[in-house]
Each structure stands twice: as C-alpha cells, then as structure tokens.
Amino acid sequence: MPTWVACAARVNVDPATGAVKVEKLTLVVDAGDRFTIEFRGARAVPRDDLLASLQLDQERDLSAGVLRTLTDRIKEALVRKGFYHAEVRAEVSRSVSRREQTVRFVIDPGPVARVTRLGFEGMRHFDARFLREQIDSFLEEAISAPAVFQPIHSATLDALGVSGRPGADQPPFLRDAPLRVEPREVYAPAVYQQALDHIVGLYKTAGYLEARFDPPEVTELDGGMTLHVRIRVREGPQTRIDEVVFN
C-alpha cells in the first residue's frame, strides 16, 4: 500500500542538437507499513479461502471503515460455507518501529447450520418446485461443490510414504476432514436475495408488474444447526395487453 513515490533524473542535454540523454534515474518509494494478516478460530475453512475473501487488491489502506468491510467479507465467506451464525472481529497491533502492523481476524464460526426445509406461500403463477430450482441454481453458482475427501489416518499416510513424518514411532493422529458444503443446504441471505430479485424479473416478464417477496422467515432448531426458511410471494395482479393499435 504505497504512500508516495518520488522520481529524480540526471540528464545530459546536447547543446548543439538539444537532444536529452538520461544518465541516471532514481526512484524513491515509501511503501508504508508492512502488513501481516492472521486468522484465529476458523480451522474448518482453509486460510487461502479466507485470504481470497478479503479482496485486498481492491483496497488502498486499512482505515476503520475498510476493516469493517473486510470483516463483513470474511463473514459472508463463512456464511457461504454454512456458518450462518459466524461472528468476526478485527484486531490491529503495531510494532515499536511503526513500520509493521499485524491485522488479526478473530473468528467465532458457531455451528454449521443447514437448511432442511424451504417453503413458499402465496404463489400461483410459478410453483414451489420452480422457485426452489431458481434459488438452488444461484446457490450452486455462488458456493463451492461439496468436498469428496474423508479424514485420513496418519498411519495410512506413513505407509504410503507421503506424510513427511521421519519416524514410524510417532504417535498416530487423525487429520481434520475438509469442510463438506452442500449448496442447497446453505442459507446465505445475500445469495437468496439475488435469486429472489431474479425471480421478480421473471414475474414481471409474465405480466406481474407488482410482484415482490416478503423477507424470508428463518426458524432455528437444534441450537441453530437446523434452519427452516419460509418465503411469502406477493404476486399482485397480472397485466395483459388487450389490444395494440397503430396509427
């Protein structure tokens, strides 16, 4: 995150022709503080995924407003992994030299929450199956496909010679399983809203110019691990063109 760049040039000008020749070009860059990003509390989500969610290439500083934006991005990434109740806060520490800063994101992911029931009310033109398919398609687009790997016991890795452990007398351990995410079971409010906006467009194309959806109602069960979602459709009247007259 550069603060400023200065440039100085030493040139030689030919008095006869006026040609300019650059003999030395000096650039001085103050790149500002060096930042280190750390994550605490989200072992189930790969660090690379969290780092990518920050979209740091879009930022030019780390002001309080930007930090709020970054925490929101991490939370959205966790929600799309099924952590509907995730909470994230940012902590910033500066070294004595004031040229290095550590930004630590402390994450409380909460339980994985799965949508086991999605219902619609008030629709006539489109049926519930069609509406569900529209939402599922947006979820599939926004969320990674489920992982296919299972936990691997360290003894198996040792036997294959790929564990990197130097001795067979090491105590065995079980590696963490990759997080399995089934897109249609995830409740991601932002993705749901995108899908509902798309469906409203389909309604308007069919003549339902006043069509809208009430905010989804979410019922939490089993300590927040099970979600039931209900969405009310307000189709309104259908507008039909009765006659077109050209003069």
Side-chain angles (χ1 to χ4, degrees):
M1 298 182 182
T3 302
W4 55 263
V5 179
C7 176
R10 186 175 71 191
V11 300
N12 187 340
V13 181
D14 188 321
T17 64
V20 178
K21 179 181 179 181
V22 177
E23 296 184 342
K24 184 178 182 180
L25 184 65
T26 304
L27 292 176
V28 179
V29 179
D30 182 349
D33 290 355
R34 179 180 183 274
F35 287 88
T36 300
I37 306 296
E38 296 181 356
F39 301 98
R40 293 289 184 271
R43 290 180 54 194
V45 181
R47 184 182 187 277
D48 287 348
D49 289 359
L50 295 173
L51 197 59
S53 72
L54 293 175
Q55 304 175 45
L56 291 175
D57 59 320
Q58 300 183 12
E59 308 301 337
R60 292 296 175 265
D61 59 45
L62 281 182
S63 62
V66 171
L67 284 175
R68 285 193 295 270
T69 298
L70 296 181
T71 56
D72 288 343
R73 288 173 182 169
I74 294 176
K75 182 172 181 178
E76 177 63 21
L78 291 167
V79 167
R80 296 188 182 198
K81 296 291 188 182
F83 296 101
Y84 174 62
H85 304 282
E87 296 293 339
V88 183
R89 75 175 189 274
E91 300 175 349
V92 180
S93 58
R94 188 187 296 268
S95 69
V96 177
S97 66
R98 300 183 65 83
R99 303 301 291 174
E100 293 186 357
Q101 297 188 52
T102 299
V103 182
R104 181 178 298 106
F105 293 97
V106 181
I107 300 169
D108 179 8
V112 174
R114 291 182 168 84
V115 176
T116 61
R117 182 182 302 170
L118 173 58
F120 299 89
E121 296 179 358
M123 65 285 185
R124 300 184 306 277
H125 184 74
F126 296 126
D127 60 24
R129 179 178 179 180
F130 176 82
L131 299 179
R132 176 71 200 238
E133 288 174 349
Q134 300 304 305
I135 291 179
D136 285 350
S137 69
F138 273 78
L139 291 170
E140 290 283 352
E141 180 73 19
I143 299 171
S144 303
V148 296
F149 300 104
Q150 296 295 327
I152 301 177
H153 199 279
S154 61
T156 303
L157 296 175
D158 290 338
L160 293 173
V162 297
S163 68
R165 303 198 321 150
D169 57 344
Q170 301 274 357
F173 63 95
L174 189 65
R175 299 180 184 271
D176 291 341
L179 179 65
R180 299 179 62 87
V181 179
E182 191 67 48
R184 72 191 318 268
E185 295 180 349
V186 173
Y187 181 62
V191 180
Y192 265 65
Q193 189 58 55
Q194 292 172 5
L196 296 180
D197 290 344
H198 168 71
I199 297 171
V200 166
L202 297 179
Y203 267 114
K204 291 185 176 182
T205 300
Y208 292 90
L209 305 183
E210 300 177 10
R212 61 183 177 85
F213 288 92
D214 289 349
E217 299 179 10
V218 181
T219 302
E220 300 182 16
L221 305 172
D222 303 325
M225 298 175 64
T226 300
L227 304 178
H228 291 176
V229 181
R230 184 177 64 175
I231 303 176
R232 176 78 180 181
V233 185
R234 308 283 183 177
E235 292 185 346
Q238 185 179 32
T239 301
R240 297 176 180 269
I241 298 176
D242 182 65
E243 183 179 7
V244 179
V245 178
F246 297 92
N247 293 324

